[in-house]
Amino acid sequence: METSFSQKQLDFPGRVCARLKDAREFRGVTLIELSRRTKISKKHLVAIEACKFDELPFATIYKKHFICSYAKALDLDPEPFLSQYIEEESPISATIPSPSKTLLYSQPTTLHHFFSKLPSLLRITVILIFAGAIVGYLFLQVRHILEPPMLTVYTPEDGFVTEGNSVLIQGRVEKEAELFINGIDIQHKEDGQFRETVPVSTGVNTLLIEAKKKHGRITTDTRHVIVQSNEQFSLVK
């Protein structure tokens, strides 16, 4: 009697979903009773029996667990059903895990496999984090391009008085920026330091120092240098 029953249960034809359903109906187990045994909702059991595995809101590893739980609840060996499910649903052949290890993740070989094994909510969270990081990076790059460049002038001080015919301008500028003094292009060092001697004449001289970036704003610093004759300079002293 037991041998006849064993042969009967191995004769269920078709896809794994049809075999599971036939096995349940053969044993006279209702979906409600099966749901109680497996802790799987009736709605999800109906989807499994209809081979609508894509409608289950779970990662593949949990779907495999459902197949094992379904078979065990009917006192069936889950290995053949799990093997058939993997063969039918997986585009790439996979090693059949033992029932005790069905909840373990296999090591992902590609980014696509990694995302496919994540629950939907976690997958969306990871995607949003990646998208946020990209947007943040682009925002910082655009802001860096559009914001005015750094410019610091050490000497001369505004209102500097001298009797010479030249004045030394020293300072530092953002290394990606171009530097101009009274419209003349001035070269600076790789670290942004600059040192330039500019001719001046008697009277008030206006020195306009400008830092420009290719697509950004301009930073300016204006210094006034007063050049006095030797006689005027002596009187001031």
Side-chain angles (χ1 to χ4, degrees):
M1 188 70 176
E2 182 178 353
T3 302
S4 175
F5 176 78
S6 177
Q7 291 176 346
K8 181 68 177 178
Q9 76 174 35
L10 294 177
D11 289 338
F12 298 126
R15 297 186 60 187
V16 64
C17 55
R19 294 179 61 206
L20 289 171
K21 182 178 180 180
D22 289 345
R24 177 182 63 78
E25 292 178 345
F26 177 78
R27 285 160 175 73
V29 179
T30 65
L31 285 173
I32 295 177
E33 173 61 20
L34 186 62
S35 176
R36 185 189 65 79
R37 295 182 187 180
T38 61
K39 309 301 181 183
I40 302 173
S41 69
K42 180 181 176 182
K43 178 179 69 174
H44 293 153
L45 290 174
V46 171
I48 291 173
E49 291 186 349
C51 285
K52 297 180 179 179
F53 297 106
D54 291 340
E55 296 183 6
L56 297 176
F58 304 100
T60 302
I61 195 71
Y62 295 109
K63 296 175 185 178
K64 294 178 181 179
H65 178 62
F66 285 174
I67 298 296
C68 290
S69 298
Y70 192 120
K72 287 181 178 180
L74 299 177
D75 295 325
L76 296 171
D77 180 8
E79 287 285 353
F81 296 95
L82 185 58
S83 176
Q84 183 178 355
Y85 167 77
I86 293 174
E87 184 177 352
E88 291 178 354
E89 300 297 324
S90 300
I92 302 176
S93 59
T95 302
I96 302 174
S98 62
S100 61
K101 296 182 179 180
T102 54
L103 291 179
L104 296 178
Y105 286 97
S106 59
Q107 183 177 359
T109 56
T110 65
L111 187 61
H112 172 72
H113 287 172
F114 170 75
F115 279 108
S116 67
K117 292 180 181 295
L118 291 176
S120 299
L121 182 59
L122 181 57
R123 196 181 313 167
I124 293 174
T125 302
V126 172
I127 292 174
L128 290 177
I129 291 174
F130 275 124
I134 293 173
V135 171
Y137 173 78
L138 293 176
F139 171 77
L140 291 176
Q141 292 300 312
V142 171
R143 189 179 70 173
H144 177 71
I145 292 173
L146 297 180
E147 68 182 0
M150 180 273 295
L151 172 63
T152 304
V153 179
Y154 303 145
T155 62
E157 296 181 353
D158 191 31
F160 176 70
V161 179
T162 181
E163 63 175 347
N165 57 4
S166 64
V167 64
L168 178 64
I169 302 177
Q170 298 182 95
R172 185 176 182 181
V173 67
E174 190 170 321
K175 59 183 181 179
E176 293 88 359
E178 296 178 322
L179 179 67
F180 298 88
I181 298 178
N182 287 348
I184 299 175
D185 188 5
I186 304 299
Q187 298 298 317
H188 57 76
K189 297 181 180 179
E190 291 184 359
D191 61 356
Q193 299 284 345
F194 63 88
R195 178 187 178 94
E196 187 73 16
T197 300
V198 178
V200 290
S201 57
T202 303
V204 179
N205 295 261
T206 300
L207 304 176
L208 178 62
I209 302 99
E210 297 176 294
K212 299 180 181 179
K213 284 200 293 191
K214 187 174 182 180
H215 300 291
R217 299 178 182 177
I218 301 175
T219 301
T220 62
D221 192 335
T222 303
R223 300 295 169 98
H224 297 91
V225 175
I226 302 172
V227 179
Q228 297 180 342
S229 63
N230 292 336
E231 182 179 346
Q232 291 175 324
F233 197 76
S234 298
L235 291 175
V236 171
K237 288 184 177 181

